[in-house]
Amino acid sequence: MASSAIGKLSREEFRRQKDLDAARKAGTAPAALDEEGKPINPHIPQYISQAPWYLDTGAPSLSHQRRPTDDRTSDKLENWYDRGVRAGPAAKKYRKGACENCGAMTHKKQDCLERPRKKGAKFTNKDIQADEIIQEVAAGYDAKRDRWNGYDPSEHKKIYEEYEVIEAARKKLREEEIDNQTTTDLAAVRKVAKAGKEKKGVDPDFGSSDEEDADDDKYADAADAVGQKLDTKTRITVRNLRIREDTAKYLMNLDPESAYYDPKTRSMRDAPLRSVAPEDAKFAGENFFRYSGEAPEVQKLQLFAWQATQRGNDIHLNAGPTQGQFLHEEYKDKKEKLKEVTKDSILEKYGGEQYLDKAPKEIVDGQTENYVEYSRTGQIIKGNERAKARSKYPEDVYINNHTSVWGSWYDVSSGIWGYACCHSGVHMSYCAGQAGKEASYASTAQALLASSSDSMSDPSAREVAAESRGRIEQNYSKRRVGEGDVSLDKDRLAEALSEERKRKVRGGDDDDRFSKKTKGMEISSHDVTEEELEAYRMSRRNMEDPMANYVDTEDRY
């Protein structure tokens, strides 16, 4: 199974191969071995174990599924030819088959790199060159296509040396021309320099060369740096870079929450120090300069020129700034006149001119009685409070003689909402004012119990009233029986336990226990006390206990 058959198998061979594969899968036959002696898993599918025709060796193998070993030593950039290496000493006589020009055996005359001689070494037997060493460098894919492979960095020093020699000769020539000047008159020197400017290009005043400046100007237009523009005709450099002595904009305030600085355009629009007045600050942000002085007027003028150009008018601020200024002024005058004409026509047709009269400026900007308190930095502390947000529902609307809205009062004892002006818990009721508050308080259970307790002088009656008051508070309050700190009476608890045992003996239900209490012929409603609830909890059987019915039946040792 692990090998691909060479040629066509007969029917018997194919059946034998199938039986062998089945035995190998069952484990009764040993697995096939590859060329390295490793067993091949018989459960590998045939499309994986079978090698393609161009990699088939005729033996079982899985080498076509493994990654081939990649020797990348040929891609190293250090492997290159040794230039100028010769093989030992040169011959003294010409040898047959050697180069006719230099006498080396490694190449022919048409491939010789030596200077062609008038008479070759074949005829003179002189200056015979040594044979070159033919080197075989196995370069890989990357090494073949590397344009810097084999480059010697030391060769670049020759360029520096050549330029240094040229610069030294130029300085020497300049010094000689200055020394050859026989006159000391500055005007005569300038006249001579001007006359020979086209030929020599020498300025004797400063010792500079126009030829050198011309070389610099040749590449000045193509080498504009970011933030500056060099005009080679006017020799003016427009710079957007800061002077080295000035503090950078992003260093004026190191707070990360301060003004944003754009490093690409070197711009900071907002002021870095907000606490300093823009007039006193060293840098108040670019927006301060952009919207101060004559900058807004220039922007409006430029916008007018663009809009006029779109409408078909030939206006260009750089070509005709005076024309653009006059046209802008004329446009503003016509716009104001048209505005006045439109206003007069509307007032004449519809009227209402008396409503357009404004109060005098002295009254509008005069003193007021509104109290406003400012801080040391000029910010308003008190007097200009923020207006509260209003909802979409009507607010502060009082109905039925009420002076407060519904939901402004909450009764803790009964747990209902009402009006704070009259303590009424009925919605849309009529307000009774203070009388309503007194009536509402008099109708509460606490007030009724308090009035009845005053009329009782017997201590036993007081205890009964207190107990009933506690039960009423328990029923109307949020606290339920058995919650919070519970104080139990021992005598009542013992009595409740005995009653609970009697009830279980009678076989009474739990519903009858907490519904009504029958004593003789008297039937009265009964409220569960803390002692009765505790007795019920103590006497009931916990059916959820997994060990409740457990009986140990095993013998003990």
Side-chain angles (χ1 to χ4, degrees):
M1 178 180 178
S3 64
S4 61
I6 300 177
K8 187 176 181 180
L9 297 177
S10 62
R11 182 177 299 177
E12 185 66 23
E13 291 176 349
F14 180 76
R15 186 182 59 79
R16 202 178 307 123
Q17 183 70 27
K18 284 291 185 180
D19 295 342
L20 181 59
D21 293 341
R24 285 175 177 172
K25 289 182 179 180
T28 57
L33 302 178
D34 59 0
E35 65 272 6
E36 298 179 359
K38 298 179 180 179
I40 300 176
N41 190 352
H43 298 282
I44 296 178
Q46 184 178 6
Y47 71 91
I48 295 179
S49 61
Q50 186 176 3
W53 60 269
Y54 51 86
L55 294 176
D56 191 7
T57 58
S61 174
L62 290 176
S63 60
H64 59 278
Q65 293 290 347
R66 300 187 181 96
R67 179 182 296 177
T69 57
D70 189 9
D71 186 12
R72 301 186 62 86
T73 57
S74 59
D75 290 342
K76 293 184 178 180
L77 301 181
E78 290 81 7
N79 299 333
W80 201 247
Y81 303 98
D82 294 334
R83 300 182 181 182
V85 179
R86 299 284 181 173
K92 295 181 179 180
K93 290 184 178 181
Y94 178 77
R95 295 163 292 180
K96 186 177 181 180
C99 178
E100 297 179 0
N101 186 39
C102 65
M105 292 289 295
T106 53
H107 61 271
K108 298 297 181 180
K109 180 180 179 180
Q110 59 268 20
D111 299 329
C112 184
L113 299 179
E114 294 287 336
R115 178 183 59 84
R117 303 179 185 180
K118 188 175 182 181
K119 290 183 178 182
K122 178 179 179 180
F123 306 102
T124 60
N125 284 330
K126 294 180 180 179
D127 195 14
I128 296 176
Q129 300 295 327
D131 300 341
E132 298 94 348
I133 298 178
I134 305 300
Q135 306 174 28
E136 293 293 337
V137 178
Y141 182 86
D142 297 334
K144 286 180 181 179
R145 289 157 180 80
D146 187 11
R147 60 194 297 262
W148 293 103
N149 194 5
Y151 177 73
D152 188 7
S154 60
E155 295 181 359
H156 192 64
K157 295 181 180 179
K158 298 179 182 179
I159 300 177
Y160 285 100
E161 295 174 358
E162 181 182 355
Y163 273 91
E164 288 176 358
V165 171
I166 296 174
E167 188 64 23
R170 181 181 295 176
K171 289 182 179 179
K172 186 176 180 180
L173 180 62
R174 226 172 15 237
E175 292 174 359
E176 290 178 356
E177 291 177 353
I178 293 174
D179 294 339
N180 291 335
Q181 297 294 336
T182 57
T183 176
T184 58
D185 189 4
L186 185 60
V189 172
R190 290 180 177 175
K191 186 176 181 180
V192 173
K194 186 176 182 181
K197 185 176 181 180
E198 297 180 357
K199 297 181 180 180
K200 298 180 181 180
V202 179
D203 191 354
D205 289 343
F206 307 99
S208 61
S209 175
D210 289 341
E211 182 182 358
E212 183 180 359
D213 296 339
D215 294 340
D216 296 338
D217 296 343
K218 187 184 300 183
Y219 306 101
D221 289 333
D224 291 338
V226 178
Q228 69 180 24
K229 173 69 178 177
L230 177 63
D231 190 357
T232 58
K233 297 180 180 180
T234 59
R235 305 293 296 177
I236 296 176
T237 302
V238 181
R239 302 174 62 89
N240 191 24
L241 303 176
R242 64 178 177 85
I243 305 174
R244 288 296 174 186
E245 290 76 12
D246 294 344
T247 306
K249 301 174 184 177
Y250 52 85
L251 294 179
M252 293 182 179
N253 190 357
L254 300 180
D255 185 8
E257 300 297 333
S258 61
Y260 173 72
Y261 175 76
D262 187 8
K264 186 176 182 179
T265 58
R266 297 187 179 92
S267 61
M268 182 180 287
R269 295 173 178 82
D270 297 334
L273 301 174
R274 297 181 180 273
S275 59
V276 182
E279 295 80 7
D280 302 335
K282 182 184 295 185
F283 177 74
E286 296 183 358
N287 286 343
F288 175 73
F289 300 104
R290 188 175 300 168
Y291 300 107
S292 62
E294 298 180 355
E297 296 296 331
V298 175
Q299 293 178 1
K300 293 179 181 179
L301 183 59
Q302 182 65 58
L303 181 61
F304 166 74
W306 288 340
Q307 293 176 352
T309 305
Q310 292 177 357
R311 297 188 185 98
N313 299 324
D314 189 9
I315 299 176
H316 198 283
L317 289 183
N318 296 334
T322 308
Q323 178 189 7
Q325 183 71 24
F326 284 147
L327 291 176
H328 189 213
E329 295 294 337
E330 184 180 355
Y331 168 76
K332 289 194 295 184
D333 294 341
K334 289 183 178 180
K335 185 177 180 181
E336 291 294 333
K337 292 180 180 178
L338 181 61
K339 188 176 180 180
E340 291 293 335
V341 171
T342 305
K343 179 180 177 181
D344 295 341
S345 61
I346 293 174
L347 292 176
E348 183 179 356
K349 184 175 183 179
Y350 297 102
E353 186 177 0
Q354 64 275 12
Y355 301 107
L356 299 178
D357 297 337
K358 296 182 180 179
K361 188 176 181 181
E362 294 78 8
I363 299 176
V364 175
D365 299 336
Q367 297 181 356
T368 60
E369 297 297 332
N370 297 331
Y371 176 77
V372 180
E373 185 176 348
Y374 296 90
S375 63
R376 296 178 59 185
T377 58
Q379 298 178 354
I380 297 177
I381 299 177
K382 186 177 180 182
N384 191 13
E385 287 78 6
R386 187 175 181 180
K388 297 181 180 179
R390 299 181 65 88
S391 64
K392 64 179 181 179
Y393 302 102
E395 300 180 8
D396 298 335
V397 178
Y398 308 117
I399 59 176
N400 297 336
N401 200 28
H402 287 285
T403 58
S404 60
V405 295
W406 167 260
S408 58
W409 174 73
Y410 179 74
D411 189 1
V412 180
S413 60
S414 59
I416 60 174
W417 294 90
Y419 296 95
C421 55
C422 59
H423 289 186
S424 175
V426 181
H427 189 230
M428 302 292 289
S429 63
Y430 192 81
C431 181
Q434 188 65 27
K437 291 183 179 181
E438 296 175 357
S440 176
Y441 178 75
S443 62
T444 58
Q446 290 86 347
L448 294 175
L449 291 174
S451 61
S452 62
S453 62
D454 294 339
S455 61
M456 294 180 183
S457 59
D458 189 5
S460 60
R462 294 180 182 177
E463 293 179 0
V464 174
E467 182 179 355
S468 61
R469 188 185 304 113
R471 290 178 179 177
I472 292 173
E473 291 180 356
Q474 173 182 333
N475 294 333
Y476 286 98
S477 63
K478 293 184 178 180
R479 189 176 69 86
R480 295 294 178 255
V481 178
E483 297 181 358
D485 297 335
V486 179
S487 59
L488 301 176
D489 189 358
K490 295 182 179 180
D491 299 337
R492 291 184 179 180
L493 180 60
E495 183 181 355
L497 285 172
S498 63
E499 291 291 337
E500 186 68 21
R501 294 190 189 97
K502 293 178 182 179
R503 186 187 64 81
K504 288 190 175 183
V505 170
R506 293 195 304 267
D509 297 335
D510 293 343
D511 297 338
D512 298 339
R513 170 69 181 84
F514 299 109
S515 60
K516 288 185 178 181
K517 184 175 181 182
T518 306
K519 190 174 182 181
M521 298 301 293
E522 181 183 0
I523 300 177
S524 62
S525 63
H526 175 70
D527 294 332
V528 180
T529 61
E530 297 286 352
E531 290 78 5
E532 292 176 351
L533 183 60
E534 185 66 21
Y536 170 74
R537 291 175 179 173
M538 294 172 63
S539 60
R540 73 171 180 173
R541 185 178 182 182
N542 191 359
M543 301 303 295
E544 297 179 358
D545 187 4
M547 303 298 291
N549 299 324
Y550 176 74
V551 178
D552 191 4
T553 58
E554 296 182 0
D555 297 336
R556 298 184 180 180
Y557 294 99

